[in-house]
Amino acid sequence: MANNATEKLVHAAERFLGKGETALDARERRVLQNALGHRALAEDTNETFYEESTFGQRLADRVAAFGGSWPFLIIFGLVLLVWVGLNLLLRAEAPDPYPFIFLNLLLSMLAAVQAPVIMMSQNRQSAKDRMVTSHDYECNLKAEFEIMGLHEKVDRIRDADLKELLVKQQEQIDLLTQLLSQHLGEAPVTESN
């Protein structure tokens, strides 16, 4: 049975890809095996990507998602307005009087922490995009194999139908020849092949 599966794989690799079985990369081999086994190739790449993520990576994604959202901007803007307003109202007794040096320090520290987290999240998004693109390629490749296989089946059916039609047509011609011969009173003419 395993030998038969290997033969089918070799035949499919040569027929669909024009490659020998040894020239297939892992992805092409997996797609061909799924196509030959009539198994689905589709998977939820979001779920797969999330399952492979570490806690730190998921945390970076959440921080970046919140840091780039409207709620963050609104909350951050309100905190800044309250900070500046309180320090302006308290003037001499303010914990961070104008020019708000402590606020500048906090903003610099926030930017210093937030920038690498956002970059990590962007790198992960790029990795996810590559994973999705690779999966799309595999699905497209399998669809091409299936379409080529359907074309071959349709061609075989068409060829069989044409052969059957030609046989029936020859039988009808022979029958018409016999009827014409009988009608004209001649001996039936037989065709020699």
Side-chain angles (χ1 to χ4, degrees), residues 50-154:
Y50 184 77
E51 287 173 358
E52 293 174 358
S53 299
T54 65
F55 173 75
Q57 290 170 331
R58 288 192 299 269
L59 181 63
D61 288 343
R62 279 188 236 122
V63 168
F66 180 69
S69 68
W70 279 109
F72 173 78
L73 289 175
I74 292 168
I75 292 168
F76 193 67
L78 290 174
V79 167
L80 287 177
L81 283 174
V82 169
W83 182 280
V84 169
L86 280 175
N87 282 295
L88 286 177
L89 285 174
L90 296 174
R91 291 185 196 218
E93 297 87 31
D96 186 23
Y98 181 82
F100 313 115
I101 295 170
F102 186 63
L103 178 61
N104 281 329
L105 175 65
L106 291 177
L107 293 175
S108 296
M109 289 184 346
L110 176 66
V113 170
Q114 196 176 23
V117 169
I118 290 171
M119 289 177 67
M120 283 189 298
S121 182
Q122 287 176 339
N123 289 340
R124 286 186 30 76
Q125 185 61 44
S126 295
K128 182 179 179 184
D129 291 344
R130 284 190 299 276
M131 180 185 208
V132 169
T133 302
S134 176
H135 183 68
D136 287 347
Y137 170 74
E138 290 176 7
C139 288
N140 290 340
L141 190 61
K142 184 178 180 209
E144 285 183 42
F145 295 157
E146 295 292 340
I147 290 169
M148 286 188 265
L150 287 173
H151 278 292
E152 287 179 355
K153 285 179 184 177
V154 168

Side-chain angles (χ1 to χ4, degrees), residues 152-169:
E152 287 179 355
K153 285 179 184 177
V154 168
D155 289 346
R156 281 195 307 269
I157 290 170
R158 188 192 66 220
D159 289 347
D161 285 349
L162 283 174
K163 286 178 185 176
E164 187 179 322
L165 184 63
L166 287 173
V167 167
K168 285 182 181 180
Q169 188 178 23

